[in-house]
Amino acid sequence: MFRTAASSAASASGLVSLDYRLNGVLNENMEPIYPSIVGAGSLTLEDIKVKGLKMFSIVGKKTGSDAVANPDLKKVVVKSSIRNNVITIDRTKFGAGLFRLRFEGKTNFNGQMNLKLRVGLPPFGLIGIPCTVRGTKDNPKIRFFSKKTDETESEAPKESMLIKNDSLPVKGNGFSVTIALARMAAKNPKPKKH
């Protein structure tokens, strides 16, 4: 499920901490029914190297900065919440070389993005370029000097899988998971060419 929610992790390697609370419904194969999931928490990028993520590559090319194209992220806390198949990301700030970046917005389990991005220019990031990011991680559409975003599509859960008051449903297979600072070493070995 983490791989699905954070699909851009395929372009990253390093150490993260996860503190998240989830409620939802499981199907007969004990897999989560994504539109039923409700939760919130934070993902801390303890020490992550990002390489080849298209969104950063495009911004890095525009700014002429390899530090933006392939950032090293340390102690960056990404807070988010999940409801109706939409992941809402709170405002998150981080430095990449001399630039100061900020992003917030929505994405979903289908991989669609609808984010606001601000690229703070050197020396202190006081002057910034507003951007919007739509599309997917593999095909991001970035508009520079734009602040307007559209609504991210959600999938409303069926009545039988609604979670009332953020508690588990009385009927059906429910799950409640608390992950407290689970430290994961994320390695992304590339397949060998034959």
Side-chain angles (χ1 to χ4, degrees):
M1 182 181 156
F2 175 75
R3 188 182 298 128
T4 303
S7 58
S8 58
S11 302
S13 62
L15 189 67
V16 302
S17 297
L18 185 64
D19 185 359
Y20 228 89
R21 169 88 181 169
L22 297 173
N23 289 336
V25 178
L26 299 175
N27 65 17
E28 63 277 3
N29 296 320
M30 298 297 287
E31 297 165 337
I33 299 173
Y34 287 102
S36 76
I37 295 172
V38 174
S42 62
L43 171 70
T44 302
L45 308 176
E46 301 283 1
D47 188 1
I48 294 289
K49 294 185 183 302
V50 180
K51 191 167 182 70
L53 185 62
K54 286 194 177 179
M55 180 176 81
F56 287 150
S57 295
I58 292 169
V59 176
K61 189 174 181 181
K62 279 281 187 184
T63 58
S65 170
D66 186 60
V68 173
N70 300 296
D72 291 340
L73 307 175
K74 294 185 180 182
K75 300 296 181 188
V76 177
V77 180
V78 183
K79 294 183 179 180
S80 64
S81 59
I82 301 172
R83 183 177 287 275
N84 292 342
N85 202 45
V86 175
I87 304 165
T88 302
I89 302 167
D90 294 352
R91 181 171 287 185
T92 304
K93 301 176 183 179
F94 63 93
L98 298 174
F99 293 84
R100 300 292 173 260
L101 279 76
R102 182 180 80 199
F103 70 93
E104 62 191 301
K106 296 181 180 182
T107 182
N108 64 23
F109 288 112
N110 298 324
Q112 297 168 317
M113 296 187 300
N114 189 16
L115 304 173
K116 288 182 181 177
L117 177 68
R118 181 184 184 273
V119 182
L121 303 175
F124 304 112
L126 298 176
I127 298 172
I129 301 170
C131 313
T132 57
V133 183
R134 296 189 60 210
T136 64
K137 77 173 184 71
D138 295 321
N139 187 22
K141 295 177 174 66
I142 301 177
R143 293 180 60 191
F144 291 87
F145 299 101
S146 174
K147 294 182 180 180
K148 187 177 180 184
T149 60
D150 297 323
E151 197 59 35
T152 301
E153 291 181 24
S154 66
E155 292 179 13
K158 296 175 184 172
E159 190 63 34
S160 61
M161 61 174 71
L162 282 175
I163 299 174
K164 311 286 185 188
N165 299 324
D166 291 345
S167 62
L168 293 175
V170 178
K171 296 179 181 178
N173 297 325
F175 73 93
S176 178
V177 179
T178 301
I179 306 171
L181 294 175
R183 297 171 91 62
M184 299 169 284
K187 298 263 182 175
N188 185 34
K190 293 186 178 178
K192 294 179 181 176
K193 292 182 180 178
H194 296 286

